[in-house]
Amino acid sequence: MNPGLIGCCCCFFRARDDNSLEVDFSALDLSTPHLTLPSSIGNGMQFVSRFMSSKLSGKPESMKPLLDYLLNLNYRGEKLMISDTIDTADKLQTALLLAEVFVAGLEKSTPYQNFEQKFQEWGLEKGWGDTAETCRETLNFLSEVLQAPDPINMEKFFSRVPSVFSIVIFSIHGYFGQEKVLGLPDTGGQVVYILDQVRALEEELLQRIKRQGLNVTPKILVLTRLIPDAKGTKCNVELEPVEHTKHSSILRVPFKTDDGKDLRQWVSRFDIYPYLERYAQDSSVKILDILEGKPDMVIGNYTDGNLVASLLSSKLGVTQGTIAHALEKTKYDDSDVKWREMDHKYHFSCQFTADMIAMNTSDFIIASTYQEIAGSKDKPGQYESHYAFTMPGLCRYATGVNVFDPKFNIAAPGADQSVYFPFTQKQARLTDLHPQIEELLYSKEDNDEHLGYLGDRSKPIIFSMARLDKVKNITGLVEWYGENRKLRDLVNLVIVGGLLEPSQSNDREEIEEINKMHSLMDKYQLKGQIRWIKAQTERVRNGELYRCIADTRGAFVQVKKNSNTVKHETQALTM
Ligand SMILES: *[C@@H]1O[C@H](CO)[C@@H](O)[C@H](O)[C@H]1NC(C)=O
Ligand SMILES: *[C@@H]1O[C@H](CO)[C@@H](O)[C@H](O)[C@H]1NC(C)=O
Ligand SMILES: CC(=O)N[C@H]1CO[C@H](CO)[C@@H](O)[C@@H]1O
């Protein structure tokens, strides 16, 4: 990695005697207040609202920052909420009072246009609401905050402030596309998650914009890599609309080689660090062009996305969010201490440094669970493990990422309920798909989609679907099943994941795992009890597949790694 990159984050660096680096983020910890109770970790938003309301004492000077913030609100230069004439807290309070009394006297559903002129006379601009009622609510939240600041109204008011219209999401590695990509190397759940997320975000933005009475078109761009050798996917297409959205697109920007040419082929996510700085520059030019200005927020996913989001956010001065559900550091034992042994394969020296930069510069970090941040009794959290660690001979983080920072917020992910619903909802079941699923699970012959067969169909199915890599340890599950006679008598095993032949894959971990699958099936003579189906990409059919497994009284199994023991967590299939 170019050392210039490291200079972009604000913290304290010191060269140590052995030429390695010491990093102490706390040396510059000037103003951000921190949570104190472990139980409040992950509730940063609440904390910030409480902190802000405690700063507003009711005295006019204390309102100044809030007033300045509102005065700065605009959409492409057009003022929102208040105009420049409201330049003191007193004036703001007076305007709110007048407007509140006025809208309270109107029919609730009166459209904003009908009283827009009145609002303007008081110095109020668009953005309070689309009807008399929504305006009244927003005015009231702010009045309450100004009179007697409290965190609840503070949060309510900020949830109404129109500040985000365009969003850029970086998901760089793998093949990011809408069809024929799942199962290609480094390409898995994240593509589906992000496309779902984009649809949900667009809907949310549209609703908010409408509720605020604005006539603004939101824009969402998913930034990924353009891969000229696209392997039959659309990854060589620069701009592609996201299906089932109106205002969202995938924008692909190529990696450049040293001589300035487009890099043609896919590269593993572990090998992409040399390209990222240039990529950040090239994408920022494209983004500014397509959005006709800066985005309001950038979000990164995974190390590469987060690092580029950091670079872009510091360059353009926009809010940065991080969603890094799967950090590599905690996936491999002692990956920090043993970085040297693994570096030729994984380049953790780059990856952990990039993660640290991204986590530190992010304005907020979304985690899905408390455990992900702060761990449990017997396991450190993946973020917590970035507080203090050493990569011997390279660098030492004296104070790294602090989980008590209010930037950490928990938002549990949802599932698309039109795809994933309980198997008991008989009327909704996709019976049309049953013949295909029947073939997938029970046909006798091997073909290029599946290997092995289930001799006794009356047994329940133990089922797992995941990428075929070391961390997901599907081969561990197969081994465990193979060794357990009793279990083999009772249940069948169905695995969906990876490709079936090593020659079809060009991902080094996957190739190893494919070979292992074959040798385990031979070693334990599993044919007749196991069905190994290659990675499946049809989401809707997969939803029904889960339910068909549930019909057999089956169970979904996820192999979880826990320090040095491997626990197989079995959860009853309720879907
Ligand atoms: C990032 O670094 C700053 C100092 O530069 C520090 O105050 C802050 O706590 C760090 N953030 C996190 C999440 O650790
Ligand atoms: C995978 O599972 C096997 C069997 O349970 C276990 O021995 C092995 O250590 C696991 N591998 C990883 C990388 O967790
Ligand atoms: C929310 C989200 O999309 N998270 C994904 C980020 O990328 C990692 C690694 O590819 C996925 O595991 C996460 O699910």
Side-chain angles (χ1 to χ4, degrees), residues 277-306:
E277 224 178 334
R278 173 74 191 263
Y279 178 84
Q281 286 163 8
D282 293 347
S283 20
S284 104
V285 174
K286 290 268 179 204
I287 291 167
L288 292 174
D289 184 35
I290 292 187
L291 295 181
E292 295 165 32
K294 291 192 229 175
D296 299 310
M297 177 158 88
V298 293
I299 301 175
N301 179 259
Y302 198 74
T303 311
D304 48 6
N306 285 321

Side-chain angles (χ1 to χ4, degrees), residues 173 190 193-194 197 301-302 323 325-326:
H173 66 261
Q190 88 271 18
Y193 289 136
I194 288 177
Q197 206 171 62
N301 179 259
Y302 198 74
I323 31 170
H325 290 208

Side-chain angles (χ1 to χ4, degrees), residues 10 25 28-29 34 360 400-402 405 407:
C10 64
F25 287 156
L28 279 168
D29 202 348
H34 281 68
N360 192 268
V401 172
N402 185 346
D405 195 292
K407 72 169 76 170

